[in-house]
Amino acid sequence: MEEDEFFGEKTFQHFCAEFIKHSQQISDGWEWRTSKDCSEGYMCKTQFQMKPGTLVSHPGTSAHVQTCLPVEEALELPPDDFEVTETTAGIEVVKYEYHVLYSCSYQVPVLYFRASFLDGRPLALKDIWEGIHECYKSQLRQEPWDTITQQEHPVLGQPFFVLHPCKTNEFMTPVLENSRKINRSVNYITSWLSVVGPVVGLNLPLSYASITSQDESVP
Amino acid sequence: MAEESESTLQLPPSTAAEGEGPTEVSPETATPEPPSSAAVSPGTEEPAGDTKKKIDVLLKAVGDTPIMKTKKWAVERTRTIQGLIDFIKKFLKLVASEQLFIYVNQSFAPSPDQEVGTLYECFGSDGKLVLHYCKSQAWG
C-alpha cells in the first residue's frame, strides 16, 4: 500500500483546511478550533433546525446564532411577549452542533454531535433518533446504540454523541482506491462527511462535490 | 441525444412517497417515450415542458460491488438518491445489512433527498449523469 494511505493528523488538518476554505466561500458556517493546551484541532458547525413539538418555548435571541443560519423560511418566531405554554402543536428550535475530530486510535475522522433546545435542555439520543432520516433508521436497525454512542468530547470534555468510526475505512477505501486509479485526489473529509453527515441531520451542499475530487497535477 | 434503445430502461415510477423502490422492472426494447403524467409521483404539480423529461443516468460500480448488467437508466427528475439506492439494492439483491452509497464526481455522496434532476444540472455532461455506486458496511 502506498504511503499516502496513512491518514494521519496532518493529513486530517490539511483536508479540514480545504473543506473550511470552501465553507467560507459558500458561507456554510464551518470553523476550525484548537484547544488551548494541546495541538489538537477540530472542525465545528452549529446549525438550527425546526422540530414540531408539544412545548412551545420562548425562543429568545440565541447568543449562539452563527453567521450562517441555514435557510428556514418557515422560521416564524412568536413575539417576545409570548407566554411559555404547553400546547398540542408548536415548533421548537433545536440547536445542533457538529464537530469533526481526528481519532488517533482509528486513524480516521470522527463525527461528534449534540443537540439542545434554545433554553439549554439537551436532547436525548431518543429524540435525536426521531429526527433521523427514515432510510437510515432501517439501516441502523432501529437501535442506534451500537452505532451512536455517548462519549466525552476529547477537547471540550463534555458529553457528545459519536458516530462510531469502526467501519469508516470500509466505506472510504473503495472510494479512495477508485480515485487513485483515475489519478484524482480526494478530499477525504468532504467525501467522508458527505456519507456520514446525513445520518445525523447534517447535509452538505452539493457545491462541496466540486472540491471533493480534483485531477492530480502531473509531476 | 444518442440513446442505445436496448439498454435504456425505464426506472419504474415510485408507487408512493419518495424512498420506496419499485417492485418490478420490465425491460423495454423500444426507445422510451416521456411518460404521461401518470408516472409523476402523486402530489406533485404538473411540471411544465422540459422538467418532464427523464434523465439518462449511467451507473458505475466501485470496488467489489457487483456490476449491474444494465447500466443506463432513464430516471425521472424528481427521483431521489434514496429512491435510486433502494432500487439498486433490490436489483443487486443486497441483504438488509448491506448498505449502498451513490457518489457524484466519484467521491461525493449526495444526501438522500437530493433529486436526480438537480444532480444532473450540477454534474451532468454529454446529456447524462454518471453516478458511481458502492456496496459497503458503514454502520453497526
Side-chain angles (χ1 to χ4, degrees):
Chain A
M1 288 293 175
E2 300 168 22
E3 213 189 82
D4 56 1
E5 277 264 10
F6 175 69
F7 187 77
E9 180 131 25
K10 285 245 146 40
T11 312
F12 166 77
Q13 290 177 359
H14 164 75
F15 285 132
C16 284
E18 294 291 310
F19 181 92
I20 288 174
K21 247 198 300 199
H22 187 81
S23 167
Q24 285 164 346
Q25 284 169 5
I26 63 171
S27 300
D28 196 34
W30 286 90
E31 293 176 353
W32 181 257
R33 300 245 180 96
T34 33
S35 58
K36 294 182 175 74
D37 49 356
C38 44
S39 61
E40 283 179 328
Y42 60 95
M43 260 187 5
C44 67
K45 173 178 175 171
T46 299
Q47 152 176 315
F48 294 87
Q49 292 174 26
M50 311 292 278
K51 264 182 156 40
T54 50
L55 181 70
V56 180
S57 56
H58 193 304
T61 12
S62 171
H64 293 287
V65 173
Q66 302 290 308
T67 49
C68 22
L69 205 59
V71 287
E72 294 289 0
E73 283 158 17
L75 191 78
E76 281 174 7
L77 298 183
D80 278 339
D81 56 346
F82 195 88
E83 278 180 5
V84 177
T85 60
E86 284 216 18
T87 60
T88 49
I91 300 287
E92 292 180 284
V93 180
V94 178
K95 177 174 111 173
Y96 279 80
E97 290 170 75
Y98 299 100
H99 292 212
V100 174
L101 282 87
Y102 177 71
S103 162
C104 296
S105 39
Y106 287 95
Q107 291 178 352
V108 291
V110 186
L111 184 59
Y112 286 71
F113 64 100
R114 65 179 175 185
S116 58
F117 297 103
L118 291 184
D119 60 5
R121 283 176 298 133
L123 264 74
L125 182 55
K126 182 176 71 68
D127 301 317
I128 295 179
W129 184 239
E130 275 163 24
I132 282 178
H133 201 286
E134 279 304 314
C135 62
Y136 296 112
K137 281 184 180 166
S138 55
Q139 285 180 29
L140 300 183
R141 293 187 303 258
Q142 302 288 345
E143 284 168 20
W145 328 113
D146 300 329
T147 314
I148 299 177
T149 56
Q150 190 163 40
Q151 286 181 32
E152 197 180 276
H153 191 288
V155 175
L156 300 178
Q158 295 164 17
F160 272 72
F161 296 112
V162 183
L163 204 52
H164 207 280
C166 59
K167 296 279 196 302
T168 299
N169 273 322
E170 263 196 60
F171 68 83
M172 284 304 297
T173 300
V175 174
L176 298 172
E177 281 179 356
N178 183 65
S179 291
R180 250 196 293 281
K181 262 200 283 196
I182 58 169
N183 223 32
R184 286 169 96 176
S185 62
V186 171
N187 184 318
Y188 190 112
I189 291 297
T190 311
S191 190
W192 163 80
L193 200 51
S194 74
V195 173
V196 301
V199 180
V200 294
L202 175 67
N203 294 309
L204 294 186
L206 285 180
S207 70
Y208 278 104
S210 60
I211 67 153
T212 329
S213 162
Q214 284 155 5
D215 288 317
E216 307 250 54
S217 51
V218 179
Chain B
M1 186 157 63
E3 241 174 77
E4 302 150 80
S5 51
E6 64 270 17
S7 62
T8 305
L9 303 187
Q10 296 279 352
L11 199 68
S14 305
T15 47
E18 307 276 24
E20 265 194 41
T23 48
E24 215 179 276
V25 179
S26 46
E28 291 179 11
T29 47
T31 307
E33 292 285 325
S36 65
S37 56
V40 176
S41 307
T44 57
E45 290 175 34
E46 190 60 44
D50 265 359
T51 56
K52 269 174 123 168
K53 264 175 57 181
K54 288 195 168 184
I55 306 287
D56 277 345
V57 174
L58 186 60
L59 296 173
K60 293 190 165 179
V62 171
D64 295 331
T65 313
I67 299 172
M68 291 172 80
K69 250 171 52 173
T70 308
K71 299 181 178 53
K72 202 166 165 202
W73 297 84
V75 183
E76 306 102 332
R77 282 180 177 266
T78 51
R79 174 81 54 164
T80 61
I81 281 290
Q82 191 50 48
L84 206 49
I85 287 175
D86 290 340
F87 172 74
I88 299 173
K89 280 176 86 165
K90 283 205 167 97
F91 196 89
L92 296 178
K93 296 188 174 56
L94 297 190
V95 300
S97 60
E98 292 173 301
Q99 284 98 40
L100 190 96
F101 301 98
I102 288 184
Y103 298 95
V104 292
N105 269 1
Q106 304 196 50
S107 53
F108 183 88
S111 38
D113 294 332
Q114 205 62 249
E115 291 185 356
V116 170
T118 311
L119 293 177
Y120 174 73
E121 273 152 41
C122 300
F123 307 105
S125 64
D126 300 328
K128 65 182 185 300
L129 173 69
V130 177
L131 295 176
H132 285 75
Y133 62 93
C134 187
K135 173 184 82 147
S136 180
Q137 275 274 295
W139 342 102

